[in-house]
Every structure is written in structure tokens, then in C-alpha cells.
């Protein structure tokens, strides 16, 4: 029991009227609701497919590393060592620190897998030729405009 008497409280909840901005946002949210639901469903489906794909790739990679072809680990060691040598030789600029290890690893891998290296070189050469041709056309068009 309290020593002091407290008056009875009569409280009422009064809701503020919505402003025009709040009404506009509410209307927009109701209009966009089917699209957001579709996006949520498609994103869930896409994430499910991506998770399944990643788990398949991971399991295949683990299986490959558990039962590698003969001579795989020595080849992997040589390619990795070539990357470390490239990193050691790349002193100075940051571009060298990217180009040298990748180049040395590419050379080391091409020694063991020459057919795949030739196929990659052909595709890369075609892309490089296309890019250089696009650059030449862009520079030529700028030159003619002036």
C-alpha cells in the first residue's frame, strides 16, 4: 500500500494523421509489393541454385584432391614455386608484383599443360586483338573529329 494516493490515470492513444509524404510512400509500397515478392522468390531460388552448384564444385574439388592424377602434386609445387620466385623478383612497382608471379606461374603451368596453354593463348590473343582494334578505332575517330 502506498502512503500517498495517486490520481487515476486516464490515458488515450491518439494517432497522428498521416502526412502527404507518408501517404505517397505507403501507396508506392503497395504498388511495388508484387514486384518485391517476385524478387524475393527469384533471389531465394537463385541462392538455392548457387549453393547447390558451390557444394557440387567443392565436393568435386575435395574428391579430386583426395584422388589426384599421378604427378599432380609435384606439378602443383613447381607452379607454386614459380609464383613465389616471381613474387621475390618483383621489386618496386605494384604492377610488377601482380605481373611477375602470374607470368611465372603461367610459364610453369604451360610447361606441364601445353595443349591447354595453346588454347588459352589463342583465345587471349583474339580478345587482345579485338580490344586493340577497338582502341585504334576510338583513337582514329577522335583524331578525325579534331
Amino acid at each position: 500500500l502506498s502512503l500517498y494516493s495517486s490520481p487515476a490515470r486516464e490515458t488515450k492513444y491518439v494517432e497522428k494523421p498521416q502526412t502527404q509524404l507518408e501517404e505517397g510512400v505507403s501507396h508506392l509500397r503497395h504498388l511495388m509489393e508484387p514486384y518485391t515478392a517476385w524478387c524475393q522468390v527469384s533471389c531465394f531460388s537463385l541462392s538455392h541454385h548457387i549453393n547447390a552448384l558451390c557444394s557440387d564444385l567443392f565436393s568435386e574439388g575435395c574428391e579430386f584432391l583426395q584422388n589426384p592424377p599421378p604427378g599432380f602434386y609435384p606439378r602443383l609445387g613447381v607452379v607454386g614455386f614459380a609464383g613465389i620466385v616471381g613474387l621475390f623478383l618483383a621489386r618496386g612497382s605494384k604492377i610488377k608484383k601482380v605481373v611477375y608471379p602470374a607470368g611465372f606461374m603461367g610459364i610453369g603451368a604451360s610447361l606441364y599443360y601445353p595443349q591447354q596453354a595453346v588454347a588459352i593463348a589463342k583465345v587471349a590473343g583474339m580478345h587482345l586483338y579485338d580490344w586493340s582494334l577497338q582502341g585504334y578505332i576510338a583513337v582514329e575517330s577522335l583524331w578525325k573529329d579534331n
Side-chain angles (χ1 to χ4, degrees):
L1 289 172
S2 173
L3 294 175
Y4 303 104
S5 63
S6 59
R9 295 185 185 182
E10 293 183 22
T11 58
K12 267 189 190 176
Y13 175 72
V14 178
E15 194 170 313
K16 292 182 189 177
Q18 285 188 340
T19 63
Q20 189 174 5
L21 177 64
E22 290 173 335
E23 288 178 8
V25 170
S26 174
H27 181 69
L28 183 65
R29 287 181 69 189
H30 286 296
L31 285 176
M32 297 302 292
E33 190 173 2
Y35 304 110
T36 56
W38 175 80
C39 285
Q40 287 175 346
V41 169
S42 61
C43 286
F44 177 75
S45 173
L46 184 64
S47 68
H48 177 69
H49 290 301
I50 289 174
N51 287 338
L53 178 67
C54 289
S55 67
D56 289 345
L57 289 175
F58 181 73
S59 64
E60 288 176 10
C62 287
E63 183 179 323
F64 180 78
L65 290 176
Q66 288 173 353
N67 303 319
F72 174 73
Y73 287 121
R75 291 176 180 181
L76 182 66
V78 169
V79 172
F81 183 72
I84 291 171
V85 168
L87 191 60
F88 179 72
L89 293 176
R91 296 179 187 224
S93 74
K94 294 179 182 178
I95 295 173
K96 284 184 183 178
K97 290 181 181 178
V98 173
V99 172
Y100 280 20
F104 279 109
M105 288 175 71
I107 291 169
S110 67
L111 292 175
Y112 288 115
Y113 305 103
Q115 294 172 343
Q116 290 87 350
V118 168
I120 290 171
K122 284 182 181 179
V123 171
M126 288 189 326
H127 284 296
L128 190 62
Y129 177 73
D130 288 342
W131 290 342
S132 64
L133 191 61
Q134 289 174 359
Y136 177 76
I137 291 170
V139 169
E140 186 180 33
S141 67
L142 287 173
W143 187 266
K144 285 184 178 182
D145 289 344
N146 291 334

